[in-house]
Amino acid sequence: MKAAVLYERRKPLVIEDLDLVAAGPGEVEVELIASGVCHSDLHHVNRDTPTVLPVVLGHEGAGIVKSVGPNVTRVRPGDHVIIAFGSKCGECFYCVRGMPYLCTPASPARPRLSRGGKTINQFLEVATYAERTVVSEKNIVKIRDDAPLAICSLVACGVTTGIGAVVNTAKVEPGSNVVVIGTGGVGLNVVQGARLAGAARIIAVDVLDNKLEFAREMGATHVLNAAKENVIDRVKALTGGYGADYAFEVIGNPKTISQAYESVRKGGVAVVVGVSDENAELTFKPVWMMRQSKTLMGCAYGSSRPQVDFPRIVDLYMEKRIKLDELITRHFALDEINEAFRAMEAGEVARGILDLA
Ligand code: PAD
Ligand code: ZN
């Protein structure tokens, strides 16, 4: 089966035929229908990270169950599924506390991909830039048959992370003032999460006007172009001089993390969603943290529990309470993955999606 392999950092992915194991005990083979293209994948191309190469990237996938290994009870062939990324062992310190987004498994997943007998790693144990994948049953979330499967692939990362940051991590209350810094594929979902939570003002910040247009469509009440305006001054002016109740950083840059922290009022909460460079450092004066009683929090995977959150998010979409179609600006074939990365980096798309079927 075909997949997109990263052999070398800062080099294009290579489309190759790989060998995929048959689903073993507790594993499920999925015929992938689509995979969203997330900036987290591109970070591993552009940056030096702990991810071991060669690797098949992609972690925002949905598809149809092709076969199941022994002892699989959650799904059967033909089921429509969204694949949750990262290990989800269900047994570790974090999983048993309801925090599968921090899962720290006792043992790693077995190698499932190879070429000429040499192992190729699966990014985040899922590797969705491929025609098929084999993953643990625990990563598989069955969804309703009437939901459009390709569009629902975005629920596997961007939508769940963005909405989850608002609803699960920060627990934004109705009437809050919210700032979202960086309104790309994930930030746009923070915007719609804030709308869902009943935020009064949703202030979208980006450096590209087309992203700010997308943000308006997803529910932003105000937009700021950080390349042209002073973000902190404008946020204060829009919030009675106080600052926002909540700010979300959805880029992964210490400068914009500081901006998020500065944008919130005394007692406010700044949430870091963006993934910064491995060696990036943040400096700030902690005395103000005390004086202003501010909170700075991290947010992995929208603090989500995929088995609970994915079906809920799909229901919200099917009831037209959230928008997913509008997030998809362009479709690409698997062998256009490098072009999809270029379009994302250039800021041309809200979200790009690979059609894999
Ligand atoms: P994206 O490229 O679609 O969006 C990033 C946005 O930030 C773009 O619209 C840019 O124009 C904008 N931007 C860049 N610099 C600035 C700036 N200085 N001021 C304002 N806006 C700016 O990426 P994405 O939405 O796919 O991902 C965003 C980040 O979130 C990225 O770091 C990714 O790795 C991270 C992420 N985190 C999780 C998680 O679990 N926490 C999950 C998924 C993605
Ligand atoms: Zn992602």
Side-chain angles (χ1 to χ4, degrees):
M1 64 109 200
K2 281 209 186 89
V5 189
L6 176 68
Y7 281 100
E8 212 182 321
R9 313 248 181 213
R10 292 164 284 273
K11 288 275 162 65
L13 305 194
V14 183
I15 307 298
E16 283 184 333
D17 266 312
L18 303 185
D19 296 316
L20 179 65
V21 296
E27 289 179 337
V28 175
E29 179 181 9
V30 179
E31 191 92 56
L32 288 157
I33 298 292
S35 175
V37 178
C38 177
H39 216 120
S40 296
D41 295 299
L42 184 56
H43 286 329
H44 297 274
V45 181
N46 290 342
R47 298 173 174 174
D48 295 310
T49 67
T51 294
V52 179
L53 308 190
V55 63
V56 171
L57 294 174
H59 63 281
E60 197 173 75
I64 298 173
V65 174
K66 190 159 187 268
S67 63
V68 300
N71 312 325
V72 168
T73 54
R74 198 170 272 168
V75 286
R76 60 180 72 162
D79 282 349
H80 290 197
V81 298
I82 302 175
I83 303 171
F85 65 78
S87 64
K88 301 273 170 277
C89 78
E91 316 284 343
C92 72
F93 180 93
Y94 295 102
C95 282
V96 297
R97 283 165 176 76
M99 296 184 276
Y101 47 91
L102 298 176
C103 174
T104 310
S107 53
R110 68 166 177 147
R112 299 177 182 127
L113 289 170
S114 60
R115 182 174 157 86
K118 288 205 178 110
T119 294
I120 312 266
N121 296 300
Q122 288 181 302
F123 183 50
L124 297 172
E125 299 189 15
V126 294
T128 61
Y129 293 166
E131 293 173 325
R132 284 181 283 127
T133 189
V134 169
V135 301
S136 163
E137 175 185 25
K138 290 168 178 162
N139 290 72
I140 291 283
V141 181
K142 181 172 153 52
I143 60 160
R144 49 195 277 186
D145 285 340
D146 59 341
L149 197 46
I151 291 162
C152 287
S153 64
L154 303 193
V155 175
C157 179
V159 179
T160 296
T161 299
I163 294 177
V166 175
V167 174
N168 300 328
T169 313
K171 301 187 171 66
V172 169
E173 311 88 1
S176 300
N177 292 324
V178 173
V179 177
V180 185
I181 304 180
T183 55
V186 181
L188 290 169
N189 288 294
V190 178
V191 170
Q192 70 171 334
R195 180 174 47 78
L196 200 61
R201 293 188 188 85
I202 305 170
I203 304 166
V205 181
D206 206 288
V207 288
L208 297 175
D209 287 329
N210 65 327
K211 298 300 179 96
L212 295 172
E213 275 311 307
F214 294 139
R216 276 204 193 278
E217 183 165 13
M218 301 311 278
T221 58
H222 300 77
V223 299
L224 299 181
N225 186 323
K228 301 176 192 162
E229 299 171 86
N230 182 307
V231 172
I232 294 153
D233 289 353
R234 292 281 291 128
V235 168
K236 288 205 170 141
L238 289 168
T239 54
Y242 291 105
D245 301 301
Y246 296 92
F248 295 84
E249 197 271 358
V250 205
I251 301 161
N253 177 336
K255 265 162 80 179
T256 41
I257 293 170
S258 298
Q259 206 170 52
Y261 191 71
E262 293 293 319
S263 299
V264 297
R265 60 162 170 81
K266 288 185 200 175
V269 178
V271 182
V272 179
V273 180
V275 179
S276 294
D277 193 87
E278 300 296 319
N279 298 316
E281 289 188 0
L282 184 65
T283 52
F284 68 115
K285 298 204 175 92
V287 68
W288 288 102
M289 197 169 207
M290 178 284 295
R291 283 191 191 136
Q292 300 188 334
S293 289
K294 288 189 184 186
T295 302
L296 181 63
M297 339 176 48
C299 165
Y301 212 161
S303 309
S304 65
R305 292 166 298 155
Q307 298 295 345
V308 179
D309 290 320
F310 287 6
R312 273 189 189 165
I313 289 173
V314 170
D315 279 346
L316 284 166
Y317 167 68
M318 295 301 281
E319 296 298 339
K320 300 190 170 21
R321 304 290 309 278
I322 60 167
K323 298 180 180 183
L324 299 187
D325 305 71
E326 291 78 357
L327 291 168
I328 301 171
T329 324
R330 259 176 86 182
H331 292 257
F332 300 88
L334 176 60
D335 61 10
E336 294 173 314
I337 178 61
N338 297 302
E339 166 60 12
F341 279 159
R342 188 207 57 76
M344 176 166 60
E345 248 183 328
E348 291 169 13
V349 294
R351 200 57 142 189
I353 190 172
L354 300 185
D355 292 326
L356 299 167

